[in-house]
Amino acid sequence: MGQITLTFPDGNQRDFEAGITPAEIAAGISNSLAKKAISAQVNGRHFDLQWPITEDASIAINTMKDDAPALELIRHDLAHIMARAVQALWPDVKVTIGPVIENGWYYDFDREEPFTPEDLGRIEAKMKEIINARDPVRTEIWDRARAVKHYEDNDEPYKVELVGMIPEDQQIRMYWHGDWQDLCRGPHLQHTGQVPADAFKLMKVAGAYWRGDSDRPMLQRIYGVGFRSRQDLKDYLTFLEEAEKRDHRKLGREMDLFHLQEEAPGQIFWHPNGWKIYTTLQDYMRRQQERDGYVEVNTPQVVDRKLWEKSGHWDNYQENMFIVEVDEEHARQKAVNALKPMNCPCHVQIFNQGLKSYRDLPLRMAEFGSCNRYEPSGALHGIMRVRGFTQDDAHIFCSEDQIEAEAKKFIDFLAKIYADLGFEDWTVKLSTRPEKRIGSEESWDRTEEALGSACRAAGYDYAVNEGEGAFYGPKLEFVLRDAIGRDWQCGTLQVDPNLPERLDATYIGADGEKHRPIMLHRAVVGSFERFIGILIENYAGKLPFWIAPRQVVVASIVSDADNYVAEIVATLKAAGVRAEADIRNEKINYKVREHSLAKVPVILAIGQREVEERTVSVRRLGENRTETAALDAIVATLTAEAKAPDLA
């Protein structure tokens, strides 16, 4: 077959017979490596140890110490092992697909009877039998006709359909885990015993339509998680327990913040407590934007399709838009409008009113813009994934040579806000030119360098997301890390020369000629709804005092304290503190438990002694101890704590 040259990680090169496999190469290096090997990287591609290498390439052998490939293989093999276990227990079950997902995998099954929690235990036990059997894994390439006949003979209609979906120019690869076969691209481990038997768990069963099509059969999807060690699994399950405690939907009920109901899917009913968080955050953002030189605008909710056609959204985003048809008086046909899914085209309309000069740039235009986007019902999640939301949206109209300065200014602006909201741990990602794009290479070079330079000037490193920019320009993404280590992409800064072109935005330059502005789309928190959900979960409901909806409850211990309680509440309210009285005829411990569950930051207990001494007994959320303070002192302390960081 001829010779090929392989380059190893240390730079050494060796010649081999074409068709050699990574397994043979590992064995040629050492017996130890051959036993530890799980896969290879060949020209950067994850490569099965059994696949032949037919051309010159770089190569590295992976072992279980290589985190990303090891986890991918463990989870992929567990998907196959689970499917094998299911069919061993229930031979009439039809198999479909089983991809790797974050932290694990799922597999969809067609079974008449629903899987039960007890069934999951039986499946796990059978999976461990298969792992402990150390059955070999092998692979073959089949022709299409053989694959179709095999699955037709074995009454696997979903696999027949999948074979038909594989492009003609792609190989049809089969894998066996022991004597159980599946259609799969691979790669896989070399035997089932390489999967850690004590580092996986089946989590739940959910319904899923075949190919995501509601007109196709409803299948049963079993989810599992898998890791490299038992301790990693234990840590993950502990993380899930903590995340469940922090679930904003659960805390939203306990704190009486909001609710959702089927008559308004994906829309939020904000209760007084939740709306107080919302307006406090929005007021804070408004002050910050005014200080940073933004002008605030407001644009229509319902806009004629003509604007969306000009902007390109009608062709590219229509499936996510809510369409509104109106019978206009005396009109021959209905007017077709859409609820706006984003604010940017409307902001260009404001920019286009009247002549703009280069002296007007940069123009920073902000709107707390209410938008509506269609999301499938299955994708909705509390207040974090909704159909109706409001963004801290802004667009900066500038010249190309102002991009770097404006980007640096925005990063400084965002950093201050994140710090005020308690997020010190965040990262920046620079998404660069995709394969399909518009604009010259020189323009992409300049804008990518401008964003990178802005990050460096602001003092922040950044990771590069190669090819992940929009087709018209690069962008920065800002990713928060919360208290339990989850990442949330919230802030963005997107360079856009395209929309001003489509909507004919111009300004008069110093040369007296018309020029196109660059548009920088930017957001700090993103949607208020999602960000409030993040805040709730980050703080486990124990929000910073200044943003907590109910800041202080003054609770009486005896009825003789009622008048003093009323005086304290009035004094705190006059000082700008959100305070309320609880003078119900209940024991103080009951009141403390109730208000602690509702995450009230401060409870002031008032008994006969406090009345006589004009003091208060202070109990802060999360602390078991109480302390006595003079009324004037606690009012001064709480007044200071109630001020937003920018007003303190």
Side-chain angles (χ1 to χ4, degrees), residues 303-321:
V303 180
D304 193 287
R305 66 177 287 177
K306 294 174 185 176
L307 180 60
W308 304 116
E309 288 172 342
K310 289 179 183 177
S311 70
H313 292 97
W314 193 260
D315 290 335
N316 299 307
Y317 205 76
Q318 187 177 343
E319 68 274 13
N320 298 106
M321 299 169 73

Side-chain angles (χ1 to χ4, degrees), residues 27-42:
I29 295 173
S30 72
N31 290 333
S32 172
L33 182 60
K35 291 179 181 179
K36 294 177 181 178
I38 58 171
S39 64
Q41 302 296 134
V42 177

